[in-house]
Amino acid sequence: MNTLTTHEQQNSLLPDESGFALQILQSANRPLCSHSYFEIIYILDGEAELIKEGEKTQLSLGDCRLIAPNTQHSISSPGTLLQRSVIISNKIFEQYLSLIAHQDEKYMALPVNHDFVHLSVSELMELEAIALRYSSVSDLTRKRGYGAEMLIKIFNIFFNEIERSKPSDSPLMQRILDLLNTSAGIRGGLPYICKTLQYSESYVSHRFKFHWGVTFSQYLKDTRLKYIEYYLKTTNYSLKNIADLVGIESLSYLNHIFKEKYNVTPLKYRKLYANPSPNPSKINQKRSVRKA
């Protein structure tokens, strides 16, 4: 017997005898919750913020997320939102995952850190066509067949994305790094790169973390710090000018992250670099000799 969480009791949509349940949500504001089944959500229109195990992600048209059982998550939207929710029982999910893995061993399991894909318009249309067929029949066998067809289609999209994300095939990642080596990329950050490459921010963020093992924001922060260090060493630019060059609006934030990494303020760092101090240990030795 399933034990329902508060969220499950409120929505009362659970896998039926076919092992699936499909619904379209026009208002997907959910408080923090977890549930005992697998859920796949994708956005058909509008934007939403998903918080999953404390990590915030902005979702827009075509963005698709897998939510595993007992995963804390919430969803909120500032305006109009059209979201498809595909609910799958644990037994059915694992059964069809094993079926695909039996056909190809490289599909043994979905990596824990790869729970996101971006669906093309054609993929969205294919999935919605299957969902329509599922919803239009009452025969259990046919419903189960349509649900399985949809799940396998989604699995294949996830696995194809994983294949494309391997280090041996990384043209997108290289394009991102190339853009981050330009002044416009450093200043504009993720919004500029996504606009240039025509991908959603959530898609680029997840692809980047999956490929490099570090978040895009952390990589951008480290890159900006290297440029700040370079400008401090080689120019007389004011701190405000440097902040503008690297795309940081707050001087207090710049000071904070710089001191966090270099254990000294930016202006102190410039002073030390322009006027190198003697080795501290030698200073201490001289002082001790004088006292003696």
Side-chain angles (χ1 to χ4, degrees):
M1 178 180 295
N2 278 330
T3 301
L4 304 185
T5 65
T6 301
H7 170 57
E8 289 172 324
Q9 291 170 336
Q10 290 174 346
N11 289 272
S12 68
L13 186 67
L14 295 168
D16 59 23
E17 292 181 353
S18 71
F20 300 92
L22 278 64
Q23 68 175 347
I24 286 184
L25 302 176
Q26 293 185 337
S27 178
N29 291 318
R30 305 184 191 176
L32 188 65
C33 63
S34 64
H35 43 62
S36 59
Y37 46 78
F38 283 92
E39 181 179 16
I40 295 171
I41 62 172
Y42 54 83
I43 307 300
L44 294 166
D45 188 28
E47 297 181 345
E49 180 182 75
L50 171 68
I51 301 178
K52 181 178 173 184
E53 297 293 352
E55 179 183 352
K56 294 182 180 180
T57 305
Q58 297 299 319
L59 302 179
S60 56
L61 175 65
D63 289 341
C64 175
R65 291 296 300 265
L66 168 66
I67 300 174
N70 305 315
T71 300
Q72 291 286 327
H73 64 284
S74 65
I75 298 175
S76 60
S77 175
T80 302
L81 179 69
L82 201 61
Q83 171 200 305
R84 168 68 71 183
S85 175
V86 183
I87 292 171
I88 313 112
S89 71
N90 296 0
K91 181 179 178 180
I92 291 292
F93 188 93
E94 293 168 2
Q95 176 183 337
Y96 284 100
L97 187 60
S98 298
L99 177 64
I100 292 181
H102 180 72
Q103 297 171 352
D104 193 328
E105 290 184 358
K106 68 183 178 183
Y107 297 155
M108 288 302 293
L110 287 171
V112 175
N113 64 338
H114 196 100
D115 59 357
F116 174 92
V117 290
H118 181 78
L119 307 175
S120 66
V121 173
S122 61
E123 288 170 335
L124 283 173
M125 292 177 65
E126 288 179 32
L127 290 175
E128 283 305 289
I130 299 171
L132 181 62
R133 293 196 292 271
Y134 175 93
S135 303
S136 64
V137 300
S138 56
D139 179 75
L140 182 59
T141 301
R142 293 178 67 189
K143 286 178 74 74
R144 184 179 290 119
Y146 289 136
E149 181 183 357
M150 190 172 199
L151 182 58
I152 290 174
K153 174 69 176 176
I154 293 173
F155 277 160
N156 282 323
I157 294 171
F158 270 92
F159 287 128
N160 288 337
E161 182 67 18
I162 292 169
E163 286 297 299
R164 287 195 297 267
S165 299
K166 288 183 177 179
S168 59
D169 183 24
S170 55
L172 175 60
M173 294 300 106
Q174 189 57 54
R175 290 173 70 190
I176 292 172
L177 294 186
D178 290 343
L179 285 171
L180 279 174
N181 282 324
T182 67
S183 57
I186 289 295
R187 287 197 308 273
L190 186 61
Y192 168 80
I193 287 173
C194 292
K195 183 178 180 180
T196 302
L197 299 179
Q198 296 186 336
Y199 286 102
S200 72
E201 293 186 16
S202 52
Y203 177 75
V204 169
S205 296
H206 280 80
R207 281 288 301 273
F208 194 92
K209 184 177 181 181
F210 178 78
H211 188 89
W212 298 113
V214 63
T215 64
F216 181 92
S217 59
Q218 183 60 53
Y219 185 91
L220 178 61
K221 176 182 170 183
D222 291 340
T223 302
R224 283 173 167 169
L225 282 167
K226 291 176 183 177
Y227 273 85
I228 293 169
E229 180 187 16
Y230 171 79
Y231 288 132
L232 289 171
K233 286 181 176 181
T234 61
T235 74
N236 291 320
Y237 296 160
S238 69
L239 204 57
K240 178 65 169 66
N241 195 0
I242 292 175
D244 292 338
L245 287 170
V246 299
I248 294 178
E249 297 181 0
S250 169
L251 288 181
S252 61
Y253 175 71
L254 188 152
N255 275 284
H256 171 73
I257 62 173
F258 191 91
K259 188 174 182 181
E260 187 178 50
K261 180 172 182 179
Y262 296 98
N263 296 316
V264 65
T265 65
L267 295 181
K268 182 67 174 178
Y269 184 90
R270 169 177 273 168
K271 183 178 180 181
L272 290 172
Y273 181 82
N275 301 286
S277 299
N279 189 310
S281 62
K282 292 183 178 180
I283 295 176
N284 292 334
Q285 289 174 5
K286 288 179 180 179
R287 288 176 178 172
S288 62
V289 169
R290 288 176 182 173
K291 289 180 180 179

